[in-house]
Amino acid sequence: MSKQNNKKKAHLLGFMQNGFNSHATGMWRHPRDKVNWDYGRPEYWQHIAKVLERGLFDAIFIADQLAPYATYKGSSDHSVRYAVQFPCNEPSTIVPVIATVTDKLGIGVTLSTAFEHPYSMCRRLSSLDYQSGGRIAWNIVSSFSHGEWNAYGVDGRERQDRYERLEEYMELCYKLWGSWDEGAVIADKSSGIYGDPSKIHEVDHDGTYFKCKARHFVPPSPQNHPVLWQAGSSNRGRDFAAKHAEAIFAVLPTLARMKEYSQDLAQRTTERFKRPAGSVKKIFGLQTVVGESRAEAEEKFAHIRDCIPLEGALAWISGHFGLDFSRYALDENVANIEVPGIQGLFESIVYAKDGAPVTVKEAALIYAQGMGMPVAVGTAKDIVDQMEVYLDEGGADGFMLITTFTPGCYEEFVDWVVPELQRRGRYRDRYAGSTLRENLLQY
């Protein structure tokens, strides 16, 4: 085998929301964003999906939140005014839209465990995975924002037992997904017997948080259950990911943070939970801006930053971190502020300048640009140079590519950057199989 073929290859995923504006706040103002496209129509999503499949991406990954952010100044007004991930459609509705025009592309959906029973969650995910031919991933989240709790009319205080509840949730999901034995379906027309009741087991779960007495309503999908995805970055979140996840999405702003995270997750996976090394694919967030020259790319990046409204940016970090940042001076050091929500992502902006102080204003604008992800700006060669460092030194197994203007940012990446990755032996030239799990395990 050649030295080139021994190089670690990258997995690639596209990171979006099923909404008007995804994670680059204000990007809807960009003159190249959604030109002649309606985000709510199937054609928009089908076009993006076909672009990603042409680029041999593992999946499109659909993020979500369940209600408008409403923490900044105690209202969702600024989320509405500046289209801060508003409006946003339910993520799983676009799965059949995408699956019908693609053959290999995986579809990751973010679905919250907070307000849905495991029985209906398993039924929905099994149905989607079955219908797509085994191309679904479930990004497992529990809801965190004031707006979400208020929308569902429940106590918005953080549950101290959140992870205990989540562990039982997964326990019941595994029972349901594992309840159909091989040979359970007979489907004999002459006898009229469809299924063998002794091989389709009734799940009888009586736990602290959930009760369920029923048979799983959907036969096993080609993957048996969707690929399990997680974005845990706090101490408890890392444990949950090391125990359950097949892949993890992490936002790590610097190479040093990538190294620390990779080493820590590997240790938890193998030592604490006794899973084989490499069981969890580490997919790190990355924002890319590619140009035919570095100067052109820098100019494009400056235009992207110019689209960000400061109050919209403050509304987003307030909603994401559960703290009203209007209470703080714009020049205050964010490292001195304690936030109740998503600790790991908050660290992505605390360390965004590699240890130098970050003000509230800087934090808001950095986060609104792309969730605190590192940015690769330049030619295709420049971008792949940076990706190689993250693969070889940072421990990345691949990248979650956050959008800027759509669908152009993905078209440019697939046309310019993917060929450069392939030339360097850093990327596949074909899919390994038909299911997402097969492609995720390809290397």
Side-chain angles (χ1 to χ4, degrees), residues 100-167:
T100 53
V101 297
T102 55
D103 297 313
K104 307 289 187 181
L105 185 72
I107 309 158
V109 289
T110 299
L111 297 171
S112 174
T113 64
F115 310 112
E116 183 168 358
H117 192 278
Y119 187 82
S120 63
M121 180 70 77
C122 284
R123 185 187 186 199
R124 177 162 33 145
L125 286 165
S126 291
S127 299
L128 294 172
D129 202 46
Y130 190 92
Q131 292 167 358
S132 67
R135 292 191 278 144
I136 301 302
W138 175 27
N139 180 34
I140 308 163
V141 299
S142 56
S143 295
F144 61 88
S145 76
H146 295 158
E148 290 175 313
W149 291 107
N150 292 340
Y152 283 83
V154 298
D155 190 341
R157 291 173 297 183
E158 182 72 14
R159 289 178 173 171
Q160 297 302 311
D161 59 353
R162 180 163 65 103
Y163 277 102
E164 287 76 9
R165 182 180 183 275
L166 197 53
E167 286 289 347

Side-chain angles (χ1 to χ4, degrees), residues 339-381:
V339 301
I342 316 188
Q343 300 293 330
L345 283 179
F346 188 65
E347 288 185 3
S348 74
I349 52 177
V350 170
Y351 293 100
K353 294 169 64 176
D354 214 5
V358 179
T359 67
V360 167
K361 180 179 179 179
E362 289 173 328
L365 294 175
I366 290 168
Y367 204 73
Q369 171 195 300
M371 269 179 71
M373 296 182 186
V375 184
V377 180
T379 66
K381 290 182 178 180

Side-chain angles (χ1 to χ4, degrees), residues 246 266 269-270 275-282 397 440-441 443:
E246 296 170 79
T269 302
T270 58
R275 297 175 66 187
S279 295
V280 186
K281 297 294 184 185
K282 300 179 297 297
D397 294 307
L440 193 65
L441 296 176
Y443 43 81

